[in-house]
Amino acid sequence: MIQDTAREQPVPVGGGTELFHVIDPRVFERRLLDELCDLTTRVRTIAKSNAGARFLQDLLPNCRAMFFFTQPSTRTFLSFNNACHVLGIRTNEIRDPSTSSEVKGESFEDSIRTFSSYVDVIIMRTREPGRAAQAARLMDTIARPVPVINAGSGSDQHPTQALLDIYTLDRSFSERGGIDGKVIGMMGDLKRGRTVRSLCYLMKNYPDVRLVFIAPEQFAMQNDVKGHLKEYGIPFTETEQLGKVLPELDALYVTRMQSEWDNAGESRAVDFKRFSVGTKELGLLKPDGIIMHPLPRGPELDPAVDTDPRAMYWRQERNGMWMRAAVLLKIFRLESRIRYLDLEAFAAQDGDNPLVS
Ligand code: NCD
């Protein structure tokens, strides 16, 4: 059982739309989200030409990032790593704690402080909740603080995933009035899935959104998130029957069973088929509805869905790299270098970058 006391407390992002630490999605306001989405599209567009790619590479050539990932990761690690490389940031990593001085008994605080001696940003993922917030608080007490980015804190939060999810929703609904007023379903292990927990915290920024939670009772969305939704007047309903609610959804965000958190194989007791999407379910989805998934997938998402134009998860995955580049640009206050650029000018200079689409 996850204790609410172990959940992270908000760490302020600073005044206005500035960004320093990225720890808790609750601190993100609409202005900043819109700015990040716009910046993401700009970076993605600029990178499409060779001249644009070179311009991006020159933005942060003297910047170094530390990846402290002691919990498994494929997408978040690779997308952040490549976002850094897109911007010219050099990267260091510790992914196996047995190779760090932790084995000599060095404290967590001393390890973080040591990383900060060599790099300009710390990007971290841990099995325990609250560690990134702890690192950020430590940074705020030292003379040379560096920003800390939470790339996944236990089963609690995953703020940059929520940002890329917002970007994916915003992009998908760009011709239908954006995210405002949409009906968004979240399905699967909502109790222990940090991506949906973080995404819920961003919903207060989008008027008239309605949420539909589709989960087995024992893995229902937790009270801390539901309390937050009630506080901000965001309507939500809960059901175990996907078929009944699917036709009304604009987006269905599918998640896997987070069985790595099982104490006694409790996720094995769940009938997955009731919380999965295949071609049969696609028949019930609106023609312009979308399917999202943070990946990796399990049996809850049939690969046969991949070829349907409403399957948005591969694009969602790729959006992650661009959104994370935008987050880094915002942290290092380079957004104005991008905001006023003539995006067409790069493409005109020397053609497309064949590596980017
Ligand atoms: C998610 C995570 O790590 O929380 N993956 C990701 O970052 N894209 C989702 C998951 O593992 O189920």
mmCIF file of all heavy atoms in Angstrom, residues 245-281:
data_model
loop_
_atom_site.group_PDB
_atom_site.id
_atom_site.type_symbol
_atom_site.label_atom_id
_atom_site.label_comp_id
_atom_site.label_asym_id
_atom_site.label_seq_id
_atom_site.Cartn_x
_atom_site.Cartn_y
_atom_site.Cartn_z
ATOM 1 N N VAL A 245 -18.342 3.296 -21.734
ATOM 2 C CA VAL A 245 -17.889 4.696 -21.775
ATOM 3 C C VAL A 245 -17.084 5.040 -23.025
ATOM 4 O O VAL A 245 -16.969 6.216 -23.397
ATOM 5 C CB VAL A 245 -17.056 5.064 -20.514
ATOM 6 C CG1 VAL A 245 -17.937 5.031 -19.278
ATOM 7 C CG2 VAL A 245 -15.842 4.145 -20.365
ATOM 8 N N LEU A 246 -16.540 4.025 -23.683
ATOM 9 C CA LEU A 246 -15.639 4.273 -24.819
ATOM 10 C C LEU A 246 -16.239 5.201 -25.884
ATOM 11 O O LEU A 246 -15.553 6.127 -26.350
ATOM 12 C CB LEU A 246 -15.201 2.921 -25.419
ATOM 13 C CG LEU A 246 -14.075 2.919 -26.445
ATOM 14 C CD1 LEU A 246 -12.874 3.737 -25.988
ATOM 15 C CD2 LEU A 246 -13.638 1.488 -26.739
ATOM 16 N N PRO A 247 -17.522 5.025 -26.270
ATOM 17 C CA PRO A 247 -18.050 5.891 -27.347
ATOM 18 C C PRO A 247 -18.054 7.382 -27.008
ATOM 19 O O PRO A 247 -18.095 8.214 -27.910
ATOM 20 C CB PRO A 247 -19.496 5.381 -27.521
ATOM 21 C CG PRO A 247 -19.486 3.991 -26.973
ATOM 22 C CD PRO A 247 -18.492 4.003 -25.855
ATOM 23 N N GLU A 248 -18.013 7.728 -25.732
ATOM 24 C CA GLU A 248 -18.063 9.165 -25.396
ATOM 25 C C GLU A 248 -16.678 9.801 -25.233
ATOM 26 O O GLU A 248 -16.559 11.005 -25.026
ATOM 27 C CB GLU A 248 -18.885 9.368 -24.106
ATOM 28 C CG GLU A 248 -18.232 8.824 -22.854
ATOM 29 C CD GLU A 248 -19.202 8.708 -21.686
ATOM 30 O OE1 GLU A 248 -20.160 7.948 -21.809
ATOM 31 O OE2 GLU A 248 -18.962 9.380 -20.660
ATOM 32 N N LEU A 249 -15.620 9.004 -25.353
ATOM 33 C CA LEU A 249 -14.266 9.528 -25.086
ATOM 34 C C LEU A 249 -13.651 10.215 -26.311
ATOM 35 O O LEU A 249 -13.773 9.733 -27.432
ATOM 36 C CB LEU A 249 -13.331 8.398 -24.656
ATOM 37 C CG LEU A 249 -13.741 7.584 -23.427
ATOM 38 C CD1 LEU A 249 -12.683 6.510 -23.143
ATOM 39 C CD2 LEU A 249 -13.929 8.483 -22.206
ATOM 40 N N ASP A 250 -12.952 11.338 -26.059
ATOM 41 C CA ASP A 250 -12.138 11.964 -27.106
ATOM 42 C C ASP A 250 -10.734 11.359 -27.100
ATOM 43 O O ASP A 250 -10.051 11.339 -28.115
ATOM 44 C CB ASP A 250 -12.041 13.474 -26.865
ATOM 45 C CG ASP A 250 -13.391 14.142 -27.015
ATOM 46 O OD1 ASP A 250 -13.963 14.059 -28.106
ATOM 47 O OD2 ASP A 250 -13.895 14.713 -26.021
ATOM 48 N N ALA A 251 -10.299 10.908 -25.924
ATOM 49 C CA ALA A 251 -8.986 10.259 -25.816
ATOM 50 C C ALA A 251 -9.092 9.146 -24.793
ATOM 51 O O ALA A 251 -9.753 9.305 -23.760
ATOM 52 C CB ALA A 251 -7.925 11.269 -25.369
ATOM 53 N N LEU A 252 -8.446 8.042 -25.092
ATOM 54 C CA LEU A 252 -8.337 6.958 -24.102
ATOM 55 C C LEU A 252 -6.852 6.756 -23.824
ATOM 56 O O LEU A 252 -6.087 6.409 -24.729
ATOM 57 C CB LEU A 252 -8.966 5.660 -24.621
ATOM 58 C CG LEU A 252 -8.772 4.445 -23.702
ATOM 59 C CD1 LEU A 252 -9.435 4.658 -22.341
ATOM 60 C CD2 LEU A 252 -9.325 3.164 -24.349
ATOM 61 N N TYR A 253 -6.466 6.992 -22.568
ATOM 62 C CA TYR A 253 -5.067 6.845 -22.150
ATOM 63 C C TYR A 253 -4.951 5.483 -21.457
ATOM 64 O O TYR A 253 -5.445 5.295 -20.352
ATOM 65 C CB TYR A 253 -4.730 7.993 -21.191
ATOM 66 C CG TYR A 253 -3.262 8.172 -20.881
ATOM 67 C CD1 TYR A 253 -2.564 9.270 -21.362
ATOM 68 C CD2 TYR A 253 -2.567 7.261 -20.089
ATOM 69 C CE1 TYR A 253 -1.218 9.455 -21.062
ATOM 70 C CE2 TYR A 253 -1.217 7.432 -19.790
ATOM 71 C CZ TYR A 253 -0.551 8.540 -20.281
ATOM 72 O OH TYR A 253 0.779 8.720 -19.983
ATOM 73 N N VAL A 254 -4.335 4.549 -22.153
ATOM 74 C CA VAL A 254 -4.237 3.168 -21.650
ATOM 75 C C VAL A 254 -2.938 3.020 -20.858
ATOM 76 O O VAL A 254 -1.905 3.571 -21.250
ATOM 77 C CB VAL A 254 -4.256 2.169 -22.835
ATOM 78 C CG1 VAL A 254 -4.332 0.732 -22.337
ATOM 79 C CG2 VAL A 254 -5.399 2.464 -23.794
ATOM 80 N N THR A 255 -2.985 2.302 -19.745
ATOM 81 C CA THR A 255 -1.747 2.019 -19.001
ATOM 82 C C THR A 255 -1.672 0.534 -18.685
ATOM 83 O O THR A 255 -2.687 -0.159 -18.677
ATOM 84 C CB THR A 255 -1.662 2.810 -17.679
ATOM 85 O OG1 THR A 255 -2.673 2.321 -16.774
ATOM 86 C CG2 THR A 255 -1.866 4.305 -17.895
ATOM 87 N N ARG A 256 -0.461 0.083 -18.378
ATOM 88 C CA ARG A 256 -0.264 -1.334 -18.068
ATOM 89 C C ARG A 256 -0.422 -1.574 -16.568
ATOM 90 O O ARG A 256 -0.362 -0.635 -15.766
ATOM 91 C CB ARG A 256 1.129 -1.786 -18.527
ATOM 92 C CG ARG A 256 2.244 -1.160 -17.722
ATOM 93 C CD ARG A 256 3.638 -1.593 -18.135
ATOM 94 N NE ARG A 256 4.605 -0.826 -17.361
ATOM 95 C CZ ARG A 256 5.109 -1.192 -16.189
ATOM 96 N NH1 ARG A 256 4.752 -2.327 -15.643
ATOM 97 N NH2 ARG A 256 5.966 -0.416 -15.553
ATOM 98 N N MET A 257 -0.562 -2.826 -16.223
ATOM 99 C CA MET A 257 -0.534 -3.216 -14.812
ATOM 100 C C MET A 257 0.881 -2.992 -14.272
ATOM 101 O O MET A 257 1.843 -3.473 -14.865
ATOM 102 C CB MET A 257 -0.884 -4.699 -14.677
ATOM 103 C CG MET A 257 -2.317 -4.931 -14.456
ATOM 104 S SD MET A 257 -2.745 -4.041 -12.976
ATOM 105 C CE MET A 257 -4.396 -4.253 -12.930
ATOM 106 N N GLN A 258 0.997 -2.289 -13.190
ATOM 107 C CA GLN A 258 2.326 -1.991 -12.634
ATOM 108 C C GLN A 258 2.717 -3.118 -11.664
ATOM 109 O O GLN A 258 2.872 -2.898 -10.451
ATOM 110 C CB GLN A 258 2.287 -0.646 -11.905
ATOM 111 C CG GLN A 258 1.748 0.503 -12.754
ATOM 112 C CD GLN A 258 2.797 1.115 -13.668
ATOM 113 O OE1 GLN A 258 3.927 1.361 -13.248
ATOM 114 N NE2 GLN A 258 2.438 1.345 -14.914
ATOM 115 N N SER A 259 2.890 -4.329 -12.216
ATOM 116 C CA SER A 259 3.045 -5.505 -11.348
ATOM 117 C C SER A 259 4.357 -5.491 -10.555
ATOM 118 O O SER A 259 4.509 -6.240 -9.591
ATOM 119 C CB SER A 259 2.917 -6.786 -12.172
ATOM 120 O OG SER A 259 3.697 -6.672 -13.328
ATOM 121 N N GLU A 260 5.300 -4.626 -10.950
ATOM 122 C CA GLU A 260 6.554 -4.557 -10.181
ATOM 123 C C GLU A 260 6.327 -4.059 -8.754
ATOM 124 O O GLU A 260 7.193 -4.196 -7.896
ATOM 125 C CB GLU A 260 7.603 -3.696 -10.894
ATOM 126 C CG GLU A 260 7.303 -2.211 -11.024
ATOM 127 C CD GLU A 260 6.555 -1.849 -12.313
ATOM 128 O OE1 GLU A 260 5.686 -2.626 -12.746
ATOM 129 O OE2 GLU A 260 6.854 -0.775 -12.877
ATOM 130 N N TRP A 261 5.140 -3.474 -8.498
ATOM 131 C CA TRP A 261 4.838 -2.984 -7.157
ATOM 132 C C TRP A 261 4.014 -3.990 -6.352
ATOM 133 O O TRP A 261 3.620 -3.704 -5.218
ATOM 134 C CB TRP A 261 4.068 -1.659 -7.220
ATOM 135 C CG TRP A 261 4.811 -0.574 -7.938
ATOM 136 C CD1 TRP A 261 4.545 -0.087 -9.171
ATOM 137 C CD2 TRP A 261 5.963 0.144 -7.465
ATOM 138 N NE1 TRP A 261 5.444 0.892 -9.505
ATOM 139 C CE2 TRP A 261 6.332 1.055 -8.466
ATOM 140 C CE3 TRP A 261 6.726 0.098 -6.286
ATOM 141 C CZ2 TRP A 261 7.417 1.916 -8.344
ATOM 142 C CZ3 TRP A 261 7.810 0.960 -6.157
ATOM 143 C CH2 TRP A 261 8.142 1.843 -7.183
ATOM 144 N N ASP A 262 3.727 -5.158 -6.928
ATOM 145 C CA ASP A 262 2.924 -6.157 -6.209
ATOM 146 C C ASP A 262 3.626 -6.609 -4.927
ATOM 147 O O ASP A 262 4.856 -6.762 -4.900
ATOM 148 C CB ASP A 262 2.722 -7.411 -7.075
ATOM 149 C CG ASP A 262 1.631 -7.242 -8.106
ATOM 150 O OD1 ASP A 262 1.082 -6.136 -8.210
ATOM 151 O OD2 ASP A 262 1.353 -8.233 -8.813
ATOM 152 N N ASN A 263 2.817 -6.816 -3.892
ATOM 153 C CA ASN A 263 3.381 -7.414 -2.678
ATOM 154 C C ASN A 263 3.233 -8.928 -2.707
ATOM 155 O O ASN A 263 4.114 -9.656 -2.265
ATOM 156 C CB ASN A 263 2.672 -6.861 -1.428
ATOM 157 C CG ASN A 263 3.009 -5.402 -1.222
ATOM 158 O OD1 ASN A 263 4.154 -4.987 -1.408
ATOM 159 N ND2 ASN A 263 2.003 -4.606 -0.883
ATOM 160 N N ALA A 264 2.090 -9.385 -3.227
ATOM 161 C CA ALA A 264 1.834 -10.830 -3.259
ATOM 162 C C ALA A 264 1.106 -11.213 -4.546
ATOM 163 O O ALA A 264 0.106 -11.928 -4.507
ATOM 164 C CB ALA A 264 1.025 -11.224 -2.034
ATOM 165 N N GLY A 265 1.609 -10.730 -5.669
ATOM 166 C CA GLY A 265 1.033 -11.102 -6.971
ATOM 167 C C GLY A 265 -0.395 -10.645 -7.165
ATOM 168 O O GLY A 265 -1.151 -11.252 -7.943
ATOM 169 N N GLU A 266 -0.796 -9.533 -6.495
ATOM 170 C CA GLU A 266 -2.203 -9.115 -6.563
ATOM 171 C C GLU A 266 -2.675 -8.736 -7.978
ATOM 172 O O GLU A 266 -3.853 -8.868 -8.286
ATOM 173 C CB GLU A 266 -2.511 -7.995 -5.562
ATOM 174 C CG GLU A 266 -1.620 -6.778 -5.582
ATOM 175 C CD GLU A 266 -0.418 -6.903 -4.660
ATOM 176 O OE1 GLU A 266 0.161 -8.010 -4.570
ATOM 177 O OE2 GLU A 266 -0.040 -5.890 -4.046
ATOM 178 N N SER A 267 -1.756 -8.292 -8.855
ATOM 179 C CA SER A 267 -2.220 -7.917 -10.198
ATOM 180 C C SER A 267 -2.596 -9.149 -11.020
ATOM 181 O O SER A 267 -3.329 -9.031 -11.996
ATOM 182 C CB SER A 267 -1.195 -7.047 -10.920
ATOM 183 O OG SER A 267 0.041 -7.655 -10.950
ATOM 184 N N ARG A 268 -2.107 -10.325 -10.602
ATOM 185 C CA ARG A 268 -2.460 -11.556 -11.341
ATOM 186 C C ARG A 268 -3.945 -11.881 -11.183
ATOM 187 O O ARG A 268 -4.526 -12.612 -11.972
ATOM 188 C CB ARG A 268 -1.598 -12.729 -10.862
ATOM 189 C CG ARG A 268 -0.187 -12.697 -11.451
ATOM 190 C CD ARG A 268 0.469 -14.067 -11.408
ATOM 191 N NE ARG A 268 0.641 -14.554 -10.040
ATOM 192 C CZ ARG A 268 1.692 -14.316 -9.280
ATOM 193 N NH1 ARG A 268 2.676 -13.580 -9.749
ATOM 194 N NH2 ARG A 268 1.776 -14.809 -8.063
ATOM 195 N N ALA A 269 -4.566 -11.334 -10.154
ATOM 196 C CA ALA A 269 -5.978 -11.614 -9.899
ATOM 197 C C ALA A 269 -6.904 -10.812 -10.823
ATOM 198 O O ALA A 269 -8.107 -11.035 -10.839
ATOM 199 C CB ALA A 269 -6.305 -11.283 -8.443
ATOM 200 N N VAL A 270 -6.315 -9.904 -11.599
ATOM 201 C CA VAL A 270 -7.143 -9.030 -12.440
ATOM 202 C C VAL A 270 -7.339 -9.647 -13.823
ATOM 203 O O VAL A 270 -6.395 -10.179 -14.416
ATOM 204 C CB VAL A 270 -6.465 -7.645 -12.601
ATOM 205 C CG1 VAL A 270 -7.214 -6.781 -13.604
ATOM 206 C CG2 VAL A 270 -6.374 -6.957 -11.264
ATOM 207 N N ASP A 271 -8.561 -9.562 -14.323
ATOM 208 C CA ASP A 271 -8.854 -10.021 -15.676
ATOM 209 C C ASP A 271 -8.500 -8.888 -16.651
ATOM 210 O O ASP A 271 -9.278 -7.970 -16.880
ATOM 211 C CB ASP A 271 -10.347 -10.390 -15.779
ATOM 212 C CG ASP A 271 -10.721 -10.805 -17.193
ATOM 213 O OD1 ASP A 271 -9.811 -10.994 -18.026
ATOM 214 O OD2 ASP A 271 -11.935 -10.923 -17.461
ATOM 215 N N PHE A 272 -7.275 -8.966 -17.207
ATOM 216 C CA PHE A 272 -6.730 -7.925 -18.078
ATOM 217 C C PHE A 272 -7.632 -7.591 -19.244
ATOM 218 O O PHE A 272 -7.700 -6.452 -19.679
ATOM 219 C CB PHE A 272 -5.412 -8.402 -18.706
ATOM 220 C CG PHE A 272 -4.227 -8.202 -17.840
ATOM 221 C CD1 PHE A 272 -3.510 -9.283 -17.363
ATOM 222 C CD2 PHE A 272 -3.799 -6.923 -17.542
ATOM 223 C CE1 PHE A 272 -2.404 -9.108 -16.574
ATOM 224 C CE2 PHE A 272 -2.686 -6.734 -16.754
ATOM 225 C CZ PHE A 272 -1.984 -7.834 -16.269
ATOM 226 N N LYS A 273 -8.269 -8.631 -19.767
ATOM 227 C CA LYS A 273 -9.025 -8.446 -21.022
ATOM 228 C C LYS A 273 -10.061 -7.347 -20.902
ATOM 229 O O LYS A 273 -10.392 -6.677 -21.867
ATOM 230 C CB LYS A 273 -9.686 -9.760 -21.413
ATOM 231 C CG LYS A 273 -8.705 -10.768 -21.982
ATOM 232 C CD LYS A 273 -9.438 -11.947 -22.614
ATOM 233 C CE LYS A 273 -8.633 -13.229 -22.513
ATOM 234 N NZ LYS A 273 -8.532 -13.769 -21.143
ATOM 235 N N ARG A 274 -10.577 -7.148 -19.694
ATOM 236 C CA ARG A 274 -11.613 -6.125 -19.497
ATOM 237 C C ARG A 274 -11.027 -4.714 -19.559
ATOM 238 O O ARG A 274 -11.749 -3.732 -19.640
ATOM 239 C CB ARG A 274 -12.286 -6.331 -18.136
ATOM 240 C CG ARG A 274 -13.021 -7.661 -18.055
ATOM 241 C CD ARG A 274 -13.501 -7.938 -16.665
ATOM 242 N NE ARG A 274 -14.299 -6.839 -16.149
ATOM 243 C CZ ARG A 274 -14.319 -6.462 -14.876
ATOM 244 N NH1 ARG A 274 -13.579 -7.088 -13.992
ATOM 245 N NH2 ARG A 274 -15.067 -5.460 -14.493
ATOM 246 N N PHE A 275 -9.717 -4.617 -19.445
ATOM 247 C CA PHE A 275 -9.078 -3.299 -19.418
ATOM 248 C C PHE A 275 -8.047 -3.188 -20.541
ATOM 249 O O PHE A 275 -6.959 -2.668 -20.369
ATOM 250 C CB PHE A 275 -8.443 -3.060 -18.037
ATOM 251 C CG PHE A 275 -9.461 -3.197 -16.943
ATOM 252 C CD1 PHE A 275 -9.583 -4.395 -16.245
ATOM 253 C CD2 PHE A 275 -10.338 -2.166 -16.669
ATOM 254 C CE1 PHE A 275 -10.557 -4.543 -15.260
ATOM 255 C CE2 PHE A 275 -11.312 -2.312 -15.694
ATOM 256 C CZ PHE A 275 -11.432 -3.502 -14.994
ATOM 257 N N SER A 276 -8.420 -3.750 -21.688
ATOM 258 C CA SER A 276 -7.482 -3.722 -22.807
ATOM 259 C C SER A 276 -8.171 -3.238 -24.084
ATOM 260 O O SER A 276 -9.395 -3.217 -24.171
ATOM 261 C CB SER A 276 -6.845 -5.104 -23.006
ATOM 262 O OG SER A 276 -7.841 -6.068 -23.108
ATOM 263 N N VAL A 277 -7.317 -2.854 -25.027
ATOM 264 C CA VAL A 277 -7.816 -2.316 -26.298
ATOM 265 C C VAL A 277 -7.279 -3.161 -27.442
ATOM 266 O O VAL A 277 -6.067 -3.408 -27.538
ATOM 267 C CB VAL A 277 -7.356 -0.847 -26.481
ATOM 268 C CG1 VAL A 277 -7.750 -0.340 -27.866
ATOM 269 C CG2 VAL A 277 -7.983 0.045 -25.419
ATOM 270 N N GLY A 278 -8.192 -3.605 -28.274
ATOM 271 C CA GLY A 278 -7.847 -4.331 -29.500
ATOM 272 C C GLY A 278 -8.697 -3.769 -30.624
ATOM 273 O O GLY A 278 -9.358 -2.731 -30.463
ATOM 274 N N THR A 279 -8.731 -4.461 -31.740
ATOM 275 C CA THR A 279 -9.485 -3.942 -32.889
ATOM 276 C C THR A 279 -10.986 -3.863 -32.589
ATOM 277 O O THR A 279 -11.673 -2.973 -33.093
ATOM 278 C CB THR A 279 -9.219 -4.811 -34.138
ATOM 279 O OG1 THR A 279 -9.317 -6.170 -33.732
ATOM 280 C CG2 THR A 279 -7.851 -4.549 -34.698
ATOM 281 N N LYS A 280 -11.483 -4.751 -31.717
ATOM 282 C CA LYS A 280 -12.913 -4.720 -31.377
ATOM 283 C C LYS A 280 -13.259 -3.389 -30.687
ATOM 284 O O LYS A 280 -14.253 -2.740 -31.026
ATOM 285 C CB LYS A 280 -13.221 -5.902 -30.449
ATOM 286 C CG LYS A 280 -14.683 -6.071 -30.135
ATOM 287 C CD LYS A 280 -14.922 -7.377 -29.370
ATOM 288 C CE LYS A 280 -15.771 -7.156 -28.144
ATOM 289 N NZ LYS A 280 -15.080 -6.939 -26.909
ATOM 290 N N GLU A 281 -12.435 -2.972 -29.760
ATOM 291 C CA GLU A 281 -12.684 -1.710 -29.041
ATOM 292 C C GLU A 281 -12.578 -0.513 -29.982
ATOM 293 O O GLU A 281 -13.286 0.482 -29.810
ATOM 294 C CB GLU A 281 -11.701 -1.545 -27.870
ATOM 295 C CG GLU A 281 -11.998 -2.422 -26.671
ATOM 296 C CD GLU A 281 -11.717 -3.885 -26.904
ATOM 297 O OE1 GLU A 281 -10.860 -4.192 -27.767
ATOM 298 O OE2 GLU A 281 -12.345 -4.731 -26.241
#
